[in-house]
Amino acid sequence: MTTPDDLSISWQSLLEALPDGTALIDVRGVMHYVNSELAFLTGYTRDELIGENVQILIPPKLKSMEGEARRQYSLDPTSRLIWNDRDLTVLCKDGSERSVDFALSALTLDGVHWTVGSIRDNSVQHAAEQARIEAEQHFRLAFEDNMAPMVFTDLEDRIIAANDAFCAMMGRTRSELIGFDSKPFTYPDDVGITEASHERFLHDEIRQVRYVKRYLHKDGRMIVVEVSKSPARDKTGKTLYFIISERDITEERMLTAQLSHQALHDPLTGLANRALLDDRLAQAHSRILRQGGNGALLLLDLDDFKGVNDTYGHLVGDQLLSAVAHRLEGVARDTDTLCRFGGDEFLYLAEGVGGTDEAQLIAQRFLRSLDEPFLIGGLSLEQRASLGVVVWDAHDAEVSDVVRDADVALYEAKRLGKGRHFLYVSGMHHNVVNRFSLVQELRQAVAANELAMHYQPILRLSTNEVVGFEALMRWHHSERGWVPPGVFIPFAEQSDLILDLGAFALHESIRAASEWGGSKELLAEPYVSVNLSARQFHDPGLLALVRSELDACSLPADRLIIEITEGVALMEVADTLKTIEQLTNLGVGVALDDFGTGFSSLSYLALLNPMIIKIDQSFVRPVTASIHSDRLLEAIVSLGHNLGMTMLAEGIETRAQLERLRDLHCSLGQGFLFSPAVPFDEALSMVGTSFDF
Ligand code: C2E
Ligand code: MG
Ligand code: MG
């Protein structure tokens, strides 16, 4: 029998050269030759192994397999058996196990059967495989099972992988997604966003971009997502594909939108509120500073809206406000901001306005939109408004000034008779006091004796003698100096303060008149003419007040005239007629002030039957003297004569005007040509005199 010892040297060296641990085994399993690699792999020396049965290298758990291996092998001893697909290990000398691939081959030498057994260390490969499996599990956790929607896309934006969460978010199956680019299910406006993000990766060295984009769910609904996208790059830095993780922020967005809408809008009308306007105003202002151009601010206040609330209740008031807001919105430009500024005030911010003409056109558009009455709960309500208009440009100072100026202009519009707009004129606010602090200051003024009555003489034009004085209120403000009544009376009219002012005027004027005894025999004692505002005139306590003031100073009633404007007289005609009748019965005269500026029809004039008609200055001093305006003056004077009323011309400033009025036989007149309103002492010195004209 040929033993391994008989093998030629070349065989031994051949086995020695093999990279695998190899043994020559006889039919009983005894190893007759082992190479150094086998010794190395198992931790034995070659001598320790030679002569041993291979059993010593087989770990206990594989012992049972050995029988099967032998059987398979014995069925076809010429075949080569390789096991590399199982978890095979070899038992080392120190008891540890080493992971190996295993092969058996038959070898017949001179008719004797041998087996060549070899093992190859695969622990490195095994570890790599293990790592691959773990990586796969990690990936599954990180991608497939991730709660966040995730996709991988190639450089052409085609989806190469999508996880369950992404499919669920999109309402599509994987097969409906993979291989497609995202365009078909991206919200049309946002298609460019994805491309832009690609560009950034291709040209910049960034690792991640974040953006918000909108998708379309399969059912057509819009989905808003926050995307974070990173490129997967190879060692050279070349981008292979993109890893995209998304967050569905649709609901979050809706909630935020809802909250910010609530924070920035008025709940009743749905219009922008002050906070939003402030913001827009600041933006507009800085745009104008940067780019030039004009901005316009229109402050609209409903005329006598309080009356609606008082008469019909707040429910109707609210409905009317909403309806007004709706009309205004109808004529507002989309790019401008219409805001509910307060109770019945609206502010309109227009940018890119050509100039004051255009701003005034906008104002007229707003006013016209309120022309038609409002139908609310079966009621037909007329609701007019007044508007203050400001146009500003880069040279104008602060934004807060613009709002103040609009306010100043608004009150001028109100003062001029409401239902109209007024354009702010530069510097106007110096003459007009801030209305917010004004009512407060005015209250204090009454207590601090800052109010005084001044008296403007009224002359009989044929003789120039002083027949009376108009009492005009003055406010000597500690800081602002003389504040004219046109400024503060309208404010006082908005509260009960006007009643205090009215009482003061009556009291002072009657006391003054009681001291103007006619000193010269020929001349009658002068009368005093007191202006009353609507609230006072329609106040139920008026008659009692007049009577008690007259009594207190023992002034004959016929030395008092009460002035009311046409507007006041026409407010509640039935009531007006009753009050006029009561005053007349008492002996007090009534003068219709500012005649010609209101809208009283001739039939009303006859009905009211005032003792005196005061022709408004605008007829006495027309802006453009024309035949037309002259004829008007003539017509008014003759009208009054025909009705048997005394005609008084206001605002006579020139001799020519005086001459003309004399020609027309206008009885009375007042104006700067003779004297402005003067303090009591000065007025006293005019009593019983006549002017030299
Ligand atoms: P009004 O009753 O029409 O008073 C006449 C206004 O014309 C006064 O202005 C007077 O100073 C001014 N005036 C008189 N002559 C001339 C003139 O030749 N040229 C010009 N340009 N103006 C002249 P004032 O004092 O500023 O009063 C303005 C308005 O304020 C009054 O108009 C009246 O409606 C109201 N008012 C004044 N005092 C009182 C008051 O005690 N109570 C109430 N309710 N209103 C008052
Ligand atoms: Mg007057
Ligand atoms: Mg007047």
Side-chain angles (χ1 to χ4, degrees):
M1 178 178 145
T2 311
T3 69
D5 300 333
D6 303 326
L7 287 172
S8 66
I9 291 299
S10 60
W11 272 99
Q12 287 191 25
S13 40
L14 190 67
L15 290 179
E16 194 57 41
L18 286 177
D20 301 337
T22 307
L24 193 63
I25 310 162
D26 70 16
V27 288
R28 287 167 302 140
V30 176
M31 293 177 280
H32 287 252
Y33 178 82
V34 296
N35 69 0
S36 327
E37 178 66 11
L38 186 64
F40 171 74
L41 288 177
T42 56
Y44 292 99
T45 63
R46 287 177 64 200
D47 288 344
E48 282 169 338
L49 288 173
I50 290 172
E52 287 291 331
N53 194 292
V54 290
Q55 290 285 344
I56 64 158
L57 298 178
I58 298 174
K61 67 171 192 220
L62 294 176
K63 286 249 153 71
S64 61
M65 276 174 55
E66 196 218 347
E68 193 201 339
R70 273 175 188 280
R71 199 174 55 250
Q72 269 194 34
Y73 183 62
S74 64
L75 289 176
D76 182 9
T78 58
S79 74
R80 182 175 149 81
L81 184 73
I82 301 172
W83 275 341
N84 58 2
D85 55 343
R86 303 206 185 171
D87 224 357
L88 292 182
T89 51
V90 66
L91 185 62
C92 302
K93 187 181 174 185
D94 63 4
S96 66
E97 292 180 30
R98 186 187 283 273
S99 174
V100 289
D101 293 337
F102 174 60
L104 292 174
S105 344
L107 179 71
T108 306
L109 292 171
D110 299 336
V112 179
H113 297 297
W114 297 93
T115 301
V116 179
S118 61
I119 55 172
R120 177 179 293 174
D121 181 14
N122 70 1
S123 53
V124 173
Q125 193 189 335
H126 199 77
E129 179 62 11
Q130 203 59 40
R132 190 185 60 78
I133 291 168
E134 278 173 19
E136 234 172 50
Q137 279 169 349
H138 285 150
F139 177 73
R140 203 175 301 284
L141 274 176
F143 181 76
E144 304 282 359
D145 300 340
N146 200 318
M147 304 279 281
M150 288 183 77
V151 277
F152 289 2
T153 62
D154 66 14
L155 302 185
E156 269 78 54
D157 189 36
R158 276 187 300 259
I159 296 179
I160 42 187
N163 70 357
D164 289 348
F166 186 79
C167 295
M169 181 178 82
M170 302 298 289
R172 289 164 210 262
T173 61
R174 267 196 187 76
S175 59
E176 288 173 306
L177 294 166
I178 297 202
F180 296 98
D181 66 32
S182 65
K183 276 198 197 83
F185 36 82
T186 295
Y187 190 75
D189 289 354
D190 291 357
V191 169
I193 294 182
T194 313
E195 284 165 13
S197 73
H198 280 220
E199 289 293 309
R200 290 184 60 193
F201 282 124
L202 296 180
H203 301 301
D204 303 329
E205 272 296 303
I206 27 175
R207 304 174 78 90
Q208 191 182 53
V209 288
R210 279 168 181 272
Y211 53 92
V212 171
K213 79 177 262 187
R214 291 165 294 178
Y215 283 124
L216 289 173
H217 188 273
K218 197 174 179 184
D219 66 12
R221 165 163 69 79
M222 188 179 79
I223 312 164
V224 190
V225 292
E226 191 181 76
V227 180
S228 69
K229 179 172 185 174
S230 328
R233 292 184 167 129
D234 68 8
K235 287 196 194 101
T236 66
K238 192 173 133 227
T239 300
L240 302 174
Y241 57 93
F242 294 109
I243 303 164
I244 297 168
S245 164
E246 301 184 339
R247 197 161 71 85
D248 184 346
I249 54 169
T250 315
E251 278 187 23
E252 204 175 293
R253 276 288 162 109
M254 264 162 54
L255 194 69
T256 326
Q258 211 178 329
L259 286 177
S260 70
H261 190 271
Q262 275 171 14
L264 297 174
H265 290 80
D266 165 52
L268 178 67
T269 60
L271 297 181
N273 66 11
R274 258 182 113 135
L276 182 56
L277 183 103
D278 283 348
D279 191 52
R280 298 262 167 92
L281 195 56
Q283 285 176 20
H285 195 63
S286 57
R287 252 195 301 275
I288 286 169
L289 289 180
R290 267 199 324 272
Q291 304 166 1
N294 293 311
L297 200 65
L298 288 82
L299 179 58
L300 181 147
D301 185 286
L302 299 184
D303 292 336
D304 309 311
F305 177 74
K306 196 174 166 292
V308 175
N309 265 342
D310 291 351
T311 316
Y312 303 107
H314 285 273
L315 199 64
V316 170
D318 282 356
Q319 284 174 309
L320 181 59
L321 277 174
S322 297
V324 167
H326 193 68
R327 292 248 186 113
L328 299 179
E329 252 184 320
V331 294
R333 279 195 311 196
D334 285 350
T335 46
D336 294 340
T337 306
L338 177 64
C339 130
R340 180 156 174 227
F341 196 58
D344 61 345
E345 286 186 341
F346 298 86
L347 244 182
Y348 186 69
L349 166 67
E351 280 188 70
V353 171
T356 51
D357 287 352
E358 197 182 322
Q360 295 193 85
L361 282 179
I362 299 176
Q364 280 159 15
R365 209 166 65 216
F366 277 128
L367 290 178
R368 266 203 312 276
S369 77
L370 305 180
D371 278 352
E372 293 285 311
F374 292 86
L375 297 174
I376 285 160
L379 295 165
S380 171
L381 301 173
E382 295 268 351
Q383 182 59 66
R384 309 267 162 190
S386 305
L387 268 166
V389 183
V390 190
V391 175
W392 86 98
D393 62 20
H395 302 296
D396 292 308
E398 293 300 314
V399 181
S400 56
D401 290 351
V402 179
V403 179
R404 179 204 60 199
D405 295 348
D407 197 62
V408 167
L410 168 66
Y411 271 80
E412 200 53 23
K414 292 261 180 199
R415 201 181 68 82
L416 292 173
K418 305 180 182 171
R420 67 181 71 198
H421 76 269
F422 192 91
L423 181 69
Y424 178 82
V425 189
S426 177
M428 202 174 129
H429 67 272
H430 295 302
N431 308 323
V432 181
V433 195
N434 179 345
R435 69 168 155 136
F436 300 112
S437 60
L438 201 131
V439 173
Q440 201 49 37
E441 290 183 22
L442 202 50
R443 270 182 215 291
Q444 290 158 7
V446 181
N449 277 329
E450 285 181 4
L451 294 179
M453 299 308 291
H454 282 196
Y455 303 92
Q456 182 174 37
I458 295 168
L459 277 69
R460 187 177 309 286
L461 298 185
S462 53
T463 59
N464 286 344
E465 62 190 303
V466 175
V467 294
F469 292 91
E470 178 173 5
L472 294 163
M473 195 175 287
R474 299 288 179 258
W475 176 10
H476 189 70
H477 190 280
S478 50
E479 287 156 27
R480 301 189 180 104
W482 289 108
V483 183
V487 170
F488 63 86
I489 298 275
F491 296 105
E493 276 172 343
Q494 291 181 351
S495 70
D496 284 345
L497 194 56
I498 190 66
L499 297 179
D500 295 343
L501 295 193
F504 171 80
L506 265 177
H507 177 80
E508 283 293 299
S509 309
I510 289 173
R511 195 176 54 82
S514 68
E515 291 178 32
W516 297 328
S519 53
K520 297 212 174 119
E521 292 159 22
L522 291 174
L523 296 178
E525 296 170 324
Y527 70 84
V528 69
S529 195
V530 183
N531 294 281
L532 287 199
S533 72
R535 281 285 298 284
Q536 290 169 267
F537 187 71
H538 294 291
D539 186 61
L542 173 71
L543 216 72
L545 180 70
V546 169
R547 204 184 282 127
S548 78
E549 290 292 350
L550 288 172
D551 287 352
C553 298
S554 312
L555 187 77
D558 62 4
R559 289 187 55 206
L560 175 66
I561 303 272
I562 297 289
E563 290 191 16
I564 54 168
T565 60
E566 280 181 273
V568 171
L570 294 180
M571 227 174 251
E572 281 153 281
V573 178
D575 194 48
T576 304
L577 289 174
K578 207 176 97 210
T579 308
I580 291 180
E581 194 189 313
Q582 289 170 334
L583 288 170
T584 312
N585 289 344
L586 205 68
V588 175
V590 171
L592 198 58
D593 202 359
D594 301 345
F595 183 78
T597 58
F599 306 95
S600 51
S601 67
L602 293 181
S603 50
Y604 271 133
L605 188 60
L607 202 63
L608 296 171
N609 194 23
M611 189 170 116
I612 298 174
I613 288 183
K614 298 188 76 169
I615 307 167
D616 192 70
Q617 317 187 350
S618 55
F619 298 95
V620 178
R621 295 179 290 110
V623 182
T624 50
S626 66
I627 301 269
H628 187 68
S629 57
D630 196 53
R631 290 262 164 79
L632 259 176
L633 180 63
E634 192 178 330
I636 291 172
V637 176
S638 73
L639 171 81
H641 284 158
N642 290 336
L643 289 170
M645 296 161 190
T646 303
M647 302 309 284
L648 186 155
E650 294 188 284
I652 306 171
E653 289 183 348
T654 65
R655 223 168 228 288
Q657 288 160 2
L658 175 63
E659 295 308 331
R660 175 73 188 137
L661 289 159
R662 275 185 178 146
D663 288 349
L664 294 174
H665 303 292
C666 179
S667 328
L668 306 177
Q670 63 188 91
F672 294 165
L673 177 65
F674 311 116
S675 164
V678 294
F680 170 78
D681 290 339
E682 250 177 87
L684 189 61
S685 69
M686 292 177 193
V687 172
T689 63
S690 55
F691 281 78
D692 199 12
F693 281 102

